[in-house]
Amino acid sequence: MTYVVTDACIRCKYMDCVEVCPVDCFYEGENMLVINPSECIDCGVCEPECPAEAILPDTENGLEKWLELNTSMSANWPNITRKRDAPADADAWKDVPDKYDAHFSANPGTGD
């Protein structure tokens, strides 16, 4: 088992999860974060920290797409280990459903 970040993170990119991760397995894209599944130790401390409820265990049904996305993007995006401020409009995007098709960016973030 591992944890994955879903589309609820897109355009929110709260970084509370980064701060509590004991193995620094978060990677930063332009408008979301992902978890490297091979680095995640399944501790689960990140899940309750996410204000957007974007982090879920990959054992839940229907998360195969997100496991693939987290795996591929974590190989291309920079590692992030320090919390920064969320985008100014993060709260406005927090409860918007199905953001992937219209708002996902494969561009990397800045990382640490």
Side-chain angles (χ1 to χ4, degrees):
M1 183 182 90
T2 187
Y3 284 82
V4 296
V5 180
T6 65
D7 71 335
C9 183
I10 296 172
R11 305 279 313 249
C12 292
K13 202 164 121 177
Y14 297 107
M15 296 191 185
D16 304 83
C17 53
V18 170
E19 191 168 63
V20 298
C21 181
V23 294
D24 299 331
C25 66
F26 281 89
Y27 290 79
E28 182 186 16
E30 180 178 36
N31 66 3
M32 78 175 290
L33 304 174
V34 294
I35 292 171
N36 182 323
S38 65
E39 295 174 358
C40 178
I41 60 170
D42 311 326
C43 68
V45 297
C46 59
E47 184 181 19
E49 296 300 317
C50 180
E53 299 180 0
I55 301 172
L56 300 171
D58 74 339
T59 53
E60 289 192 20
N61 290 331
L63 294 182
E64 297 81 13
K65 170 184 178 176
W66 300 111
L67 180 58
E68 284 182 31
L69 181 88
N70 279 245
T71 301
S72 64
M73 293 297 104
S74 65
N76 297 310
W77 290 350
N79 186 243
I80 184 161
T81 61
R82 286 184 241 124
K83 179 183 176 181
R84 292 194 312 266
D85 291 336
D89 62 348
D91 289 341
W93 287 97
K94 183 178 170 187
D95 296 317
V96 174
D98 305 317
K99 295 184 272 186
Y100 181 79
D101 289 335
H103 302 287
F104 173 74
S105 170
N107 295 328
T110 58
D112 287 338

